[in-house]
Amino acid sequence: ALFAENCPEWHVVDFACHLLGAVSVPLYPSLPADQVLHILSDSGAAWVFCSGPSRRSSVDGLSKQLRRPLEAVGLDPVTDPVTGTGGLSLAALQEEGARHADRHPLEHFRGRVDPGDLASLIYTSGTTGEPKGVMLTHHNFTSNVLACSDLFPLGPDDQALSFLPLSHVFERTVDYLFLYRGVRIHYAPSIERMPPLLTVVRPTVLCSVPRVYERAFLRVVAMQREQSGLRRRMFEWALRTGARHAERGDRWAGPWLSSQRLLADRLVFRKVKDRFGGRLRFAISGGAPLAPAAAEFFAAVGLSLYQGYGLTETAPVLTTNRPGHDRQGSVGKAVPGVSLRIADDGEIRARSPGLMKGYWQNPEITREVVDEHGWFATGDIGHLDDDGFLFITDRKKDLLITSGGKNIAPQPIEQRLTAQWSIAQAVVVGDRYPYLTALIVARFDDLPAELAGMEREQLVADPRLLRIIRAAVDEVNEHLAEHERIRRWQLMPHEFSQENNEITPTQKVRRRVIVDRYAEVIASMYTKTQRVGTPAKLAGGRP
């Protein structure tokens, strides 16, 4: 298992596993102990390579709860401050290996694995929230890299910044592609550390989840609102000019529009491009849907931003827009080797050489999503246009995908919330938003005596009840991964009911109905970092 942030050593261990025929199991660096324990136990990992003393200590503690020995290896040397001794480190293993290099050169390992051998287990949340191990083979990864390698111009002169977690299949496969094409990779330990590094690394290619692009868009728009009237009007003129030029393209723009576009670039757009380092040739967005307003903004600015689509189960790329084949609003055409079709209910089905071997120790669930002909049910709803561009319109499976690309099952979180004595109902929200929020209904009949007899409209604003609910949410958050935690919440004055079509007869939440009905309340919880395209006029609501 690999339990570390992005660093060159991550790939050293990963490729060593590939060469040996060992199976690597990536773990998100921010995972809480109970989820790490579940994955280590379920996967049967015997070694854990981890970074930093805190993760090393966590792994040492978890190893006592497993039924088999677990060897922990530090990616950086770890020294006990009391005894002055350290545990096993990657450097020590490399020194040991160097002593055997003459008798066992790397060439001797060629051919040790077959294309169909298991290469990695990547755990992803299902609709029930229980992480499932996706079995990806060597052929799954290499076929995906080779399919994408000719679609984008990449070479040794390119510079890339690796900041999405390598435990996410998107960043991992992208890095494989970069290494294959000789692109230089600079590592950032987290997405939060990335923005200032853009102007230092000055990447020529950027791959990210939508959140990065949407934040940049919102930041630029917010800055322009604070400008003087003249500068603000100039910015709006530049955007209109850029949008018209992007719609027509270089070939049909004409000399007058082209000259205006050039002026807009010198006066306005060049500053936007400088925020990304000033050398960006193109960028790729994947892992979640990109907000249309952000896509239109980058097209107007003249930054080539290509949307793609895929899943962990397909290693991951199924479709992508690319130079010469880009259609706004779509996630592109199928990459070489991938076949797509739309089922009768609108679900996207795919056949791909990147399709997983199955779910680890779970053949029943595997059969639910892969039919006898090898067609994988993606759980997404969409359509193909006459030119083969795929448009995703909805999601069949009840998962939330944040703008950071994290797949989160809301039901287990809601179950944890309603297990608190003070919470009767909870609906978790966060699809295409940067973090999770919740609509919460208190257990009004079980409140302390000092709150009894008050009208509910008064209760939901009473500081005493707010403190009680806050304590309950904090208690739940302590047992969740960072990306699963509820950042803001809103108390509702009434229950969600079957009569209002908000819950089913079996008490299951009708999420889409609730999200649509309380759109303004939800938007109020994202006032400072609202979803791109959310109306500016928001309803009130307590964050």
Side-chain angles (χ1 to χ4, degrees):
L2 272 159
F3 190 27
E5 67 279 342
N6 292 19
C7 59
E9 291 79 9
W10 202 103
H11 280 306
V12 169
V13 175
D14 185 42
F15 278 115
C17 290
H18 289 331
L19 197 65
L20 291 168
V23 180
S24 60
V25 183
L27 298 166
Y28 279 100
S30 59
L31 280 182
D34 60 337
Q35 292 191 29
V36 173
L37 179 63
H38 167 76
I39 293 174
L40 292 178
S41 175
D42 186 70
S43 66
W47 292 66
V48 182
F49 290 81
C50 46
S51 62
S54 62
R55 292 192 189 98
R56 177 64 175 267
S57 176
S58 175
V59 168
D60 288 340
L62 293 175
S63 64
K64 300 173 184 177
Q65 303 179 51
L66 297 171
R67 297 180 179 179
R68 63 183 183 283
L70 184 68
E71 186 74 57
V73 181
L75 293 186
D76 37 20
V78 180
T79 302
D80 189 297
V82 178
T83 65
T85 60
L88 186 60
S89 69
L90 178 61
L93 286 182
Q94 290 173 315
E95 290 175 6
E96 177 70 16
R99 289 194 285 270
H100 299 277
D102 291 338
R103 289 184 293 114
H104 300 284
L106 290 180
E107 280 298 316
H108 286 186
F109 293 93
R110 184 181 295 278
R112 185 164 178 163
V113 299
D114 292 323
D117 287 347
L118 184 60
S120 188
L121 283 179
I122 301 181
Y123 280 78
T124 183
S125 296
T127 53
T128 63
E130 187 69 23
K132 302 188 297 293
V134 176
M135 297 190 289
L136 295 179
T137 67
H138 292 270
H139 179 61
N140 292 152
F141 281 120
T142 55
S143 64
N144 212 267
V145 170
L146 293 173
C148 297
S149 64
D150 293 329
L151 303 181
F152 297 95
L154 293 168
D157 292 332
D158 282 304
Q159 307 270 350
L161 185 59
S162 175
F163 57 90
L164 298 179
L166 279 165
S167 47
H168 193 296
V169 69
F170 177 37
E171 183 65 46
R172 187 178 183 183
T173 304
V174 161
D175 274 24
Y176 287 165
L177 174 60
F178 289 158
L179 291 163
Y180 177 63
R181 297 300 295 268
V183 176
R184 296 182 184 185
I185 303 176
H186 304 260
Y187 294 90
S190 67
I191 194 170
E192 290 76 21
R193 300 274 294 276
M194 180 273 299
L197 291 176
L198 286 173
T199 56
V200 177
V201 174
R202 302 183 64 218
T204 60
V205 57
L206 192 66
C207 295
S208 178
V209 290
R211 182 174 65 169
V212 170
Y213 306 115
E214 293 168 0
R215 276 183 174 179
F217 162 64
L218 289 171
R219 193 176 298 116
V220 171
V221 171
M223 290 173 59
Q224 291 306 316
R225 287 175 179 168
E226 298 174 359
Q227 297 293 331
S228 64
L230 179 60
R231 291 195 176 191
R232 188 166 59 249
R233 287 193 296 273
M234 182 185 299
F235 177 76
E236 293 168 352
W237 164 83
L239 277 184
R240 289 194 302 269
T241 300
R244 289 200 306 272
H245 189 275
E247 183 179 354
R248 298 183 186 182
D250 292 331
R251 185 176 178 183
W252 305 106
W256 173 243
L257 182 56
S258 296
S259 62
Q260 286 185 307
R261 175 64 180 76
L262 182 62
L263 181 61
D265 186 71
R266 290 179 178 177
L267 296 176
V268 177
F269 297 152
R270 189 169 297 175
K271 296 177 182 178
V272 177
K273 296 175 182 177
D274 285 344
R275 298 180 69 89
F276 290 89
R279 295 194 304 179
L280 195 61
R281 297 195 295 114
F282 64 89
I284 298 172
S285 178
L290 178 68
E296 292 164 5
F297 171 78
F298 281 98
V301 169
L303 282 172
S304 298
L305 179 56
Y306 301 110
Q307 285 196 72
Y309 168 67
L311 302 95
T312 303
E313 289 87 343
T314 55
V317 185
L318 290 174
T319 70
T320 184
N321 287 289
R322 59 259 202 184
H325 299 275
D326 186 20
R327 185 151 297 174
Q328 194 81 286
S330 81
V331 292
K333 293 183 175 182
V335 302
V338 171
S339 300
L340 300 173
R341 73 178 187 186
I342 308 299
D344 293 339
D345 61 356
E347 184 177 15
I348 302 165
R349 303 288 176 91
R351 256 194 330 208
S352 167
L355 180 60
M356 65 175 179
K357 203 171 185 176
Y359 293 115
W360 175 249
Q361 299 179 337
N362 215 325
E364 295 83 7
I365 297 183
T366 301
R367 285 192 291 269
E368 290 177 8
V369 297
V370 182
D371 67 19
E372 65 273 17
H373 302 294
W375 287 99
F376 172 63
T378 65
D380 293 306
I381 305 296
H383 66 272
L384 292 161
D385 70 9
D386 293 339
D387 296 319
F389 286 90
L390 178 65
F391 292 79
I392 299 176
T393 57
D394 210 338
R395 196 159 41 259
K396 187 176 181 180
K397 55 187 179 181
D398 195 14
L399 281 179
L400 305 178
I401 302 182
T402 68
S403 61
K406 297 288 177 58
N407 287 27
I408 302 172
Q411 299 96 329
I413 303 174
E414 291 164 350
Q415 290 168 358
R416 285 177 180 264
L417 288 168
T418 54
Q420 300 291 314
W421 72 268
S422 57
I423 298 177
Q425 293 176 317
V427 178
V428 173
V429 179
D431 196 47
R432 295 182 61 192
Y433 284 107
Y435 52 80
L436 298 189
T437 59
L439 301 175
I440 293 176
V441 179
R443 295 188 186 275
F444 292 107
D445 295 335
D446 298 324
L447 296 179
E450 64 265 27
L451 297 176
M454 295 178 60
E455 295 292 334
R456 290 189 176 185
E457 285 72 13
Q458 294 176 303
L459 274 173
V460 296
D462 191 287
R464 293 169 294 180
L465 179 57
L466 296 178
R467 282 194 295 269
I468 292 171
I469 301 300
R470 185 181 299 112
V473 174
D474 289 345
E475 168 66 23
V476 170
N477 278 340
E478 285 184 6
H479 303 283
L480 299 174
E482 181 69 23
H483 60 278
E484 296 174 329
R485 292 174 182 168
I486 304 300
R487 302 291 182 88
R488 297 184 178 190
W489 43 272
Q490 175 72 50
L491 272 183
M492 306 297 288
H494 56 79
E495 289 85 3
F496 302 114
S497 66
Q498 184 180 340
E499 292 74 16
N500 291 330
N501 198 36
E502 294 165 340
I503 58 175
T504 68
T506 55
Q507 301 301 297
K508 294 179 181 176
V509 170
R510 296 189 187 274
R511 199 171 308 278
R512 292 175 190 167
V513 172
I514 290 174
V515 168
D516 289 340
R517 184 165 295 165
Y518 303 103
E520 290 188 348
V521 176
I522 293 168
S524 72
M525 293 187 284
Y526 295 93
T527 302
K528 293 183 179 180
T529 52
Q530 58 180 294
R531 180 170 59 178
V532 180
T534 300
K537 189 175 182 180
L538 304 173
R542 179 192 172 274

